[in-house]
Amino acid sequence: GRSEVARTKAGIRNFPLAFNPFQKQAPWCMSATSMSLMSTLPKNVTWIRRDCPQMMSLHTIIRDKNCSRDDFVFYSNRIIRLLIEEALSKSLTYSEKAVDTLTGDTFAGMKWDGKICGVSIVRAGESMEAVLRDCCKCVRIGKILIQRNEASADKAPDTQYQYCKLPKDIASRTVFLLDPMLATGGSALRAIKQLVAEGVKPESIKFVNLISCPEGLNRIFQEYPQIQIFTSYVDPGLNESKYIIPGLGDFGDRYFGTDFA
């Protein structure tokens, strides 16, 4: 009854907010800037576990400039797993399915409907493929390579993509576009345009990334408002060199070890 609830509340009053089941939010783990960004995000952006200290601790590890490559890969994979699971749970359609259990009874459950595939933006996006395969047995994976012009002021992609290999029936699938960093949005937008040219409906594209920023998000939604984006953190913006701030550096270099001795 109410008296029992009151005693329970009193017993946990001195616990940290993260462990308090009667506390709906944990504002202590969000900066004022992040709270402000949350209120201005487009409705099609899912910022997963934004009030969760676990996610904050994972980001703290991988953003640390002194993080070893082993730790960077391990904890990045943990974030990627959380992202993929969230995207799967909110992107797929389900129907009822009953199965017989070993007890002789019936379990009324559900099953996935439709087909999916992953498309990674080479090279950093390839870091997310293994986790998608762990979650979805025998999932098909396509690849798009887009080379940025690092000498340009806005790091714009070259006029043409360099490589594209996609499943032949991709137009009939829900597509999980994989790239860990969304900065200016140039590469992601070029990849999306290529998918649309292959017959994929914009509403069937689910862009999954670790860190994004308002500039990249707004650029994508200006052209494709139907796309759904899943991210684990929205940073405040870009610096004059068009790098995400505070960011974490070049994700691909740190993940694949090309900036480590």
PDB file of all heavy atoms in Angstrom, residues 17 23-31 35 51:
ATOM      1  N   LEU A  17      20.814   9.393  -7.731  1.00  0.00           N
ATOM      2  CA  LEU A  17      19.609   9.452  -8.546  1.00  0.00           C
ATOM      3  C   LEU A  17      19.521   8.307  -9.546  1.00  0.00           C
ATOM      4  O   LEU A  17      18.439   7.852  -9.875  1.00  0.00           O
ATOM      5  CB  LEU A  17      19.566  10.782  -9.305  1.00  0.00           C
ATOM      6  CG  LEU A  17      19.153  12.011  -8.493  1.00  0.00           C
ATOM      7  CD1 LEU A  17      19.222  13.237  -9.374  1.00  0.00           C
ATOM      8  CD2 LEU A  17      17.754  11.846  -7.929  1.00  0.00           C
ATOM      9  N   GLN A  23      12.687   8.570  -9.245  1.00  0.00           N
ATOM     10  CA  GLN A  23      13.174   9.758  -9.922  1.00  0.00           C
ATOM     11  C   GLN A  23      13.068   9.551 -11.428  1.00  0.00           C
ATOM     12  O   GLN A  23      13.683   8.646 -11.982  1.00  0.00           O
ATOM     13  CB  GLN A  23      14.649  10.017  -9.545  1.00  0.00           C
ATOM     14  CG  GLN A  23      15.267  11.235 -10.233  1.00  0.00           C
ATOM     15  CD  GLN A  23      14.669  12.521  -9.714  1.00  0.00           C
ATOM     16  OE1 GLN A  23      14.377  12.627  -8.538  1.00  0.00           O
ATOM     17  NE2 GLN A  23      14.476  13.480 -10.597  1.00  0.00           N
ATOM     18  N   LYS A  24      12.276  10.359 -12.105  1.00  0.00           N
ATOM     19  CA  LYS A  24      12.022  10.148 -13.524  1.00  0.00           C
ATOM     20  C   LYS A  24      13.197  10.558 -14.396  1.00  0.00           C
ATOM     21  O   LYS A  24      13.386  10.031 -15.469  1.00  0.00           O
ATOM     22  CB  LYS A  24      10.764  10.916 -13.957  1.00  0.00           C
ATOM     23  CG  LYS A  24       9.488  10.398 -13.311  1.00  0.00           C
ATOM     24  CD  LYS A  24       8.291  11.150 -13.833  1.00  0.00           C
ATOM     25  CE  LYS A  24       6.999  10.608 -13.230  1.00  0.00           C
ATOM     26  NZ  LYS A  24       5.819  11.329 -13.731  1.00  0.00           N
ATOM     27  N   GLN A  25      13.984  11.536 -13.979  1.00  0.00           N
ATOM     28  CA  GLN A  25      15.085  12.014 -14.787  1.00  0.00           C
ATOM     29  C   GLN A  25      16.344  12.083 -13.938  1.00  0.00           C
ATOM     30  O   GLN A  25      16.287  12.110 -12.712  1.00  0.00           O
ATOM     31  CB  GLN A  25      14.796  13.410 -15.368  1.00  0.00           C
ATOM     32  CG  GLN A  25      13.623  13.415 -16.335  1.00  0.00           C
ATOM     33  CD  GLN A  25      13.358  14.802 -16.867  1.00  0.00           C
ATOM     34  OE1 GLN A  25      13.797  15.792 -16.310  1.00  0.00           O
ATOM     35  NE2 GLN A  25      12.638  14.876 -17.968  1.00  0.00           N
ATOM     36  N   ALA A  26      17.469  12.126 -14.618  1.00  0.00           N
ATOM     37  CA  ALA A  26      18.754  12.293 -13.941  1.00  0.00           C
ATOM     38  C   ALA A  26      19.439  13.519 -14.530  1.00  0.00           C
ATOM     39  O   ALA A  26      20.371  13.409 -15.322  1.00  0.00           O
ATOM     40  CB  ALA A  26      19.624  11.050 -14.127  1.00  0.00           C
ATOM     41  N   PRO A  27      18.961  14.717 -14.196  1.00  0.00           N
ATOM     42  CA  PRO A  27      19.462  15.930 -14.839  1.00  0.00           C
ATOM     43  C   PRO A  27      20.927  16.191 -14.549  1.00  0.00           C
ATOM     44  O   PRO A  27      21.571  16.916 -15.274  1.00  0.00           O
ATOM     45  CB  PRO A  27      18.574  17.029 -14.246  1.00  0.00           C
ATOM     46  CG  PRO A  27      18.071  16.474 -12.962  1.00  0.00           C
ATOM     47  CD  PRO A  27      17.940  15.003 -13.188  1.00  0.00           C
ATOM     48  N   TRP A  28      21.455  15.572 -13.506  1.00  0.00           N
ATOM     49  CA  TRP A  28      22.853  15.797 -13.158  1.00  0.00           C
ATOM     50  C   TRP A  28      23.813  15.262 -14.193  1.00  0.00           C
ATOM     51  O   TRP A  28      24.972  15.648 -14.232  1.00  0.00           O
ATOM     52  CB  TRP A  28      23.156  15.151 -11.809  1.00  0.00           C
ATOM     53  CG  TRP A  28      22.653  13.743 -11.715  1.00  0.00           C
ATOM     54  CD1 TRP A  28      21.443  13.337 -11.235  1.00  0.00           C
ATOM     55  CD2 TRP A  28      23.309  12.565 -12.167  1.00  0.00           C
ATOM     56  NE1 TRP A  28      21.316  11.984 -11.348  1.00  0.00           N
ATOM     57  CE2 TRP A  28      22.441  11.477 -11.902  1.00  0.00           C
ATOM     58  CE3 TRP A  28      24.542  12.307 -12.748  1.00  0.00           C
ATOM     59  CZ2 TRP A  28      22.778  10.172 -12.203  1.00  0.00           C
ATOM     60  CZ3 TRP A  28      24.875  11.002 -13.054  1.00  0.00           C
ATOM     61  CH2 TRP A  28      23.995   9.952 -12.783  1.00  0.00           C
ATOM     62  N   CYS A  29      23.378  14.365 -15.062  1.00  0.00           N
ATOM     63  CA  CYS A  29      24.299  13.787 -16.038  1.00  0.00           C
ATOM     64  C   CYS A  29      24.150  14.441 -17.411  1.00  0.00           C
ATOM     65  O   CYS A  29      24.708  13.974 -18.383  1.00  0.00           O
ATOM     66  CB  CYS A  29      24.119  12.276 -16.150  1.00  0.00           C
ATOM     67  SG  CYS A  29      22.562  11.773 -16.908  1.00  0.00           S
ATOM     68  N   MET A  30      23.400  15.544 -17.512  1.00  0.00           N
ATOM     69  CA  MET A  30      23.254  16.251 -18.768  1.00  0.00           C
ATOM     70  C   MET A  30      23.701  17.693 -18.581  1.00  0.00           C
ATOM     71  O   MET A  30      23.307  18.364 -17.625  1.00  0.00           O
ATOM     72  CB  MET A  30      21.790  16.243 -19.209  1.00  0.00           C
ATOM     73  CG  MET A  30      21.268  14.876 -19.589  1.00  0.00           C
ATOM     74  SD  MET A  30      21.959  14.277 -21.131  1.00  0.00           S
ATOM     75  CE  MET A  30      21.185  15.385 -22.290  1.00  0.00           C
ATOM     76  N   SER A  31      24.547  18.196 -19.485  1.00  0.00           N
ATOM     77  CA  SER A  31      24.963  19.584 -19.418  1.00  0.00           C
ATOM     78  C   SER A  31      23.812  20.476 -19.854  1.00  0.00           C
ATOM     79  O   SER A  31      22.859  20.032 -20.505  1.00  0.00           O
ATOM     80  CB  SER A  31      26.168  19.817 -20.324  1.00  0.00           C
ATOM     81  OG  SER A  31      25.802  19.673 -21.679  1.00  0.00           O
ATOM     82  N   MET A  35      20.877  19.713 -22.675  1.00  0.00           N
ATOM     83  CA  MET A  35      19.454  19.832 -22.398  1.00  0.00           C
ATOM     84  C   MET A  35      18.790  20.764 -23.404  1.00  0.00           C
ATOM     85  O   MET A  35      17.675  20.517 -23.864  1.00  0.00           O
ATOM     86  CB  MET A  35      19.252  20.357 -20.964  1.00  0.00           C
ATOM     87  CG  MET A  35      19.727  19.401 -19.881  1.00  0.00           C
ATOM     88  SD  MET A  35      18.692  17.918 -19.738  1.00  0.00           S
ATOM     89  CE  MET A  35      17.261  18.620 -18.934  1.00  0.00           C
ATOM     90  N   ASP A  51      19.685  10.335 -20.843  1.00  0.00           N
ATOM     91  CA  ASP A  51      19.731  10.668 -19.416  1.00  0.00           C
ATOM     92  C   ASP A  51      20.319   9.515 -18.606  1.00  0.00           C
ATOM     93  O   ASP A  51      20.063   9.394 -17.412  1.00  0.00           O
ATOM     94  CB  ASP A  51      18.335  11.030 -18.904  1.00  0.00           C
ATOM     95  CG  ASP A  51      17.328   9.902 -19.120  1.00  0.00           C
ATOM     96  OD1 ASP A  51      17.703   8.910 -19.774  1.00  0.00           O
ATOM     97  OD2 ASP A  51      16.194  10.025 -18.643  1.00  0.00           O
TER      98      ASP A  51
END
